[in-house]
């Protein structure tokens, strides 16, 4: 390790966040590992000279600022932010309550925004930094039963992609990570909330879909420790990717979406291209 950086990771008490913290420490970096319960983070990661654990609920802007201040007080800077914390509100659109939709957005979208808003002034002052955001293949491809989750992740994609040129002049980069299925605790009841079945029309598909999703828990192909090591390697490269498909299923999802978009652009090319005012110059 030649280039020691200071990382701040959200949701580090279990799942990918724990693995990313371990991998960054193993690579010789310092890490501020955060979670709603700081003690749980310490227990998950273990003691380390270059580790600071701190309480950080991504939905609480004041608490976020306190944790970011503690990070800077301890290590003097923040080089890599990993927006990792997230959860999954599953169900058919008509059965997910407005409150659960709000809650999904509060954690998966507004959470990363809260944390990034607190970290960017530190990175701007340094004139360097990398904002890593864990999105999902559900941020690239939508699917049934995932309207709330996909909406939150698609929103993250648009946010990060638009933030990129805003902060580039300050030497700050962004990196979206789109994991496929990884064996974490995401599909357990600690992280997934299934909508209450209320509409008979959906009852049978709900039963089948919940059975399929719960059956996947513990059997996902992706190894989060491998993802974490690869992420640390990419974050340390000269040109971290703007988007990184994590997992063979994610590569497939990227390809499928890219081909679909090309086909959709092509399908009505003539009609799509015929919508300008007749008196407008062709390149306006
Ligand atoms: N596993 C996959 O297959 C997969 C695929 C695509 C994307 N992802 C994304 O990967 C990220 C990590 O998920 P995971 O798979 O590691 O799931 P996980 O094992 O369930 O871990 C989720 C983490 O998020 C934390 N969290 C939830 N709400 C929070 C809040 N308000 N403030 C702070 N932390 C909060 C949890 O902390 P608590 O212990 O306090 O609940 C936990 O540490 C998520 O953004 C998820 O959407 C996962």
């Amino acid at each position: 390790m030649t280039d020691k950086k200071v990382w701040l990771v959200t949701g580090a008490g279990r799942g990918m966040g724990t693995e990313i913290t371990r991998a960054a420490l193993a690579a010789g970096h310092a890490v501020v590992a955060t979670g709603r319960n700081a003690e749980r983070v310490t227990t998950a990661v273990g003691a380390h000279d270059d580790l600071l654990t701190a309480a950080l609920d991504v939905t609480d802007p004041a608490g976020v600022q306190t944790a970011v201040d503690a990070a800077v007080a301890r290590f003097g800077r923040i080089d890599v932010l990993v927006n990792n914390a997230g959860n999954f509100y599953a169900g058919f659109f008509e059965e997910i309550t407005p409150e659960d939709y709000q809650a999904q957005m509060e954690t998966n979208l507004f959470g990363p925004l809260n944390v990034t808003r607190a970290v960017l002034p530190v990175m701007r002052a340094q004139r360097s930094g990398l904002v890593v955001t864990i999105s999902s293949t559900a941020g690239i491809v939508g699917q049934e039963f995932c309207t709330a989750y996909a909406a939150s992740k698609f929103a993250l994609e648009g946010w990060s992609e638009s933030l990129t040129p805003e902060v580039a002049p300050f030497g700050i980069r962004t990196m979206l990570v789109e994991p496929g299925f990884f064996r974490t605790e995401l599909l357990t009841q600690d992280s997934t909330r299934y909508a209450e079945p209320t509409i008979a029309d959906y009852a049978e598909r709900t039963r089948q879909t919940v059975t399929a999703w719960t059956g996947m828990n513990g059997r996902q192909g992706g190894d989060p420790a491998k993802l974490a090591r690869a992420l640390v390697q990419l974050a340390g490269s000269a040109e971290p990717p703007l988007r990184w498909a994590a997992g063979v299923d994610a590569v497939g999802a990227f390809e499928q979406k890219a081909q679909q978009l090309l086909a959709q652009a092509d399908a009505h090319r003539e009609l799509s291209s015929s919508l300008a005012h007749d008196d407008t110059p062709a390149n306006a």
Side-chain angles (χ1 to χ4, degrees):
M1 238 293 300
T2 50
D3 196 7
K4 181 171 181 169
K5 304 274 193 196
V6 178
W7 289 54
L8 190 150
V9 181
T10 65
R14 55 198 175 98
M16 268 178 218
T18 301
E19 296 297 346
I20 293 166
T21 299
R22 286 187 183 136
L25 288 169
H29 300 297
V31 182
V32 183
T34 71
R36 284 188 284 198
N37 180 337
E39 241 171 65
R40 185 174 186 171
V41 176
T42 310
T43 307
V45 180
H48 196 290
D49 287 348
D50 286 325
L51 173 69
L52 172 70
T53 56
L56 188 161
D57 180 331
V58 298
T59 66
D60 169 19
V64 167
Q65 189 62 56
T66 303
V68 167
D69 291 346
V72 174
R74 167 77 184 267
F75 295 116
R77 53 190 298 121
I78 299 171
D79 298 301
V80 182
L81 163 64
V82 185
N83 285 312
N84 165 76
N87 55 20
F88 179 27
Y89 283 77
F92 288 101
F93 169 66
E94 288 193 89
E95 294 188 322
I96 300 178
T97 64
E99 293 73 23
D100 279 358
Y101 251 88
Q102 296 277 356
Q104 180 71 98
M105 291 295 172
E106 285 301 330
T107 303
N108 284 11
L109 174 62
F110 292 113
L113 270 54
N114 289 335
V115 182
T116 307
R117 196 176 282 119
V119 169
L120 278 178
V122 179
M123 291 183 168
R124 262 191 304 109
Q126 295 166 183
R127 288 298 193 256
S128 70
L130 174 65
V131 178
V132 178
T133 300
I134 311 292
S135 172
S136 169
T137 50
I140 301 278
V141 181
Q143 70 176 87
E144 72 173 26
F145 220 62
C146 295
T147 62
Y149 185 73
S152 72
K153 295 295 190 178
F154 266 68
L156 270 186
E157 297 269 335
W159 165 73
S160 181
E161 200 170 285
S162 305
L163 178 68
T164 306
E166 292 188 10
V167 296
F170 313 124
I172 302 169
R173 310 178 67 112
T174 68
M175 176 175 168
L176 278 161
V177 179
E178 288 85 2
F181 285 101
F182 279 79
R183 205 173 301 166
T184 65
E185 297 184 20
L186 190 64
L187 296 181
T188 69
Q189 60 184 13
D190 288 335
S191 294
T192 292
R193 181 178 159 96
Y194 291 105
E196 287 296 323
T198 52
I199 302 175
D201 277 343
Y202 292 109
E204 181 52 23
R205 280 157 76 202
T206 296
R207 199 190 54 72
Q208 287 172 5
T209 314
V210 171
T211 304
W213 279 100
T214 49
M216 219 182 314
N217 181 37
R219 303 175 58 219
Q220 303 96 322
D223 179 347
K226 287 187 180 172
L227 180 154
R229 288 196 291 272
L231 172 56
V232 170
Q233 181 192 326
L234 286 172
S237 63
E239 302 269 332
L242 286 171
R243 256 198 194 83
W244 177 47
V248 68
D249 48 349
V251 173
F254 272 44
E255 286 173 345
Q256 179 204 329
K257 183 69 179 214
Q259 282 158 10
Q260 204 178 54
L261 283 174
L262 284 174
Q264 286 170 342
D266 245 1
H268 300 286
R269 182 177 295 273
E270 207 176 312
L271 183 62
S272 301
S273 310
S274 69
L275 307 180
H277 280 289
D278 291 336
D279 59 355
T280 307
N283 61 354

